[in-house]
Amino acid sequence: MSNITFDAIHTQTKQKKLTEMMHQSARVCHEMHNPNPVLNQCSICQSNNINFHVEKFGFRLDRCDDCEQIFCNPMPSHEQLASYYNGPMKEFENQFFADSFENRIPIFSHRINVIHNYVKQGLLLDIGSAIGIFIEALKRSNTELSIHCCEPSADACTRLKQRFPEINLYNNWLQDLPSEEKYDAITLWDTIEHIEDIDIFTQKVFSLLKPGGYWFFSTPNTHSFEWQIAGKDHVQLLPPGHINLFNPNSIEILMHRHGFNISEMQTPNGTLDISYIDKLTQSSNQYDEHLGSFLKTHLQDENFKQQFAQLLSTTTTAGNVFVIARKPA
Ligand SMILES: [Zn+2]
């Protein structure tokens, strides 16, 4: 298992400036009218047992008591999302991805090995390619897959075109992608948590896959060690960016509702949880109660730490879940 840490993939500049940037972007959003209704039903499992969870940056997040999905309620409007994704936050994020480019490659190396185990040749569509870290990792792996990219940001597309002139690039939202082309594999990295109409999105992915094709995606896992300890302070409670936060149970419900079969769910990066919780517990003792004195003491020990990270990975309880779902043949 690779030793990926929180500090390696979240640069110091990002950690320092993120909250300030989020408040700034949120202020602009709150000046806009949001016509979206407050939902009284969970969009994943349709339960009515939804309750207030936490407020962040002036946005309310609710939690479903049944499938435990956490979601923005009401969902931000298209106008608010457009302002968020085209404002200074996007530029800040692209710069931060550029700064952590090489440190992020190892995260994709594992995922690419898994992809190649399922799909060796054919057509792959990467949705939300951003500045192309995954594409670079895929190229370095000498893949035989042909790559198409779908990326709504014009700025990111310019960078992608310069770096990879040979790939087929759609500067579009997924919904606007032509439906004639069908894919053997679709990849979507840490993006599904940004999607507000999850049913329309999932349907579109399903329709773009060939029968027997695979959808590979990753997203934060709220049923994880780091979320259990960080609770409502978790750094990824980040509306209007993160507006749908999943767990393995809610993912399973969504996938089955749309006709996918789940081949595998993995949480390969337990070391990320440990390094993030290390940071939190060093900054404040308010997390000690969640952590418990046993874990607090033993996580000082390097050997225990390594074994514990491994355990989080093998029991699907680390903070980022990698899902392999298949459209029936
Ligand atoms: Zn639910």
Side-chain angles (χ1 to χ4, degrees), residues 152-168:
S153 152
D155 172 55
C157 280
T158 310
R159 294 175 191 239
L160 283 169
K161 198 139 210 94
Q162 270 166 5
R163 199 170 187 126
F164 314 104
E166 71 288 0
I167 59 168
N168 201 331

Side-chain angles (χ1 to χ4, degrees), residues 51-63 70-73 227 231-234 237-239 245:
N51 285 299
F52 174 74
H53 185 60
V54 70
E55 192 183 300
K56 293 276 171 182
F57 308 108
F59 292 94
R60 172 179 136 180
L61 289 147
D62 282 357
R63 181 175 170 276
I70 298 169
F71 55 97
C72 222
N73 200 9
W227 278 81
K232 293 176 181 178
D233 290 339
H234 198 289
L237 282 165
L238 217 57
L245 290 153

Side-chain angles (χ1 to χ4, degrees), residues 137-166:
L138 198 53
K139 291 272 174 193
R140 288 188 199 176
S141 77
N142 295 318
T143 187
E144 291 175 38
L145 291 160
S146 307
I147 307 164
H148 287 196
C149 292
C150 169
E151 168 54 56
S153 152
D155 172 55
C157 280
T158 310
R159 294 175 191 239
L160 283 169
K161 198 139 210 94
Q162 270 166 5
R163 199 170 187 126
F164 314 104
E166 71 288 0

Side-chain angles (χ1 to χ4, degrees), residues 39-51 63-69 71 196-200 202-203 244 246 249-250 252-258:
L39 303 171
N40 54 23
Q41 200 177 40
C42 168
S43 58
I44 303 296
C45 77
Q46 265 90 55
S47 162
N48 297 114
N49 293 327
I50 55 177
N51 285 299
R63 181 175 170 276
C64 170
D65 284 345
D66 291 312
C67 73
E68 299 187 345
Q69 182 81 353
F71 55 97
E196 99 271 32
D197 201 329
I198 203 74
D199 281 327
I200 290 178
T202 309
Q203 267 165 26
N244 248 313
F246 291 84
N249 178 39
S250 66
E252 210 169 308
I253 295 169
L254 180 73
M255 291 299 101
H256 289 159
R257 217 155 42 69
H258 286 279

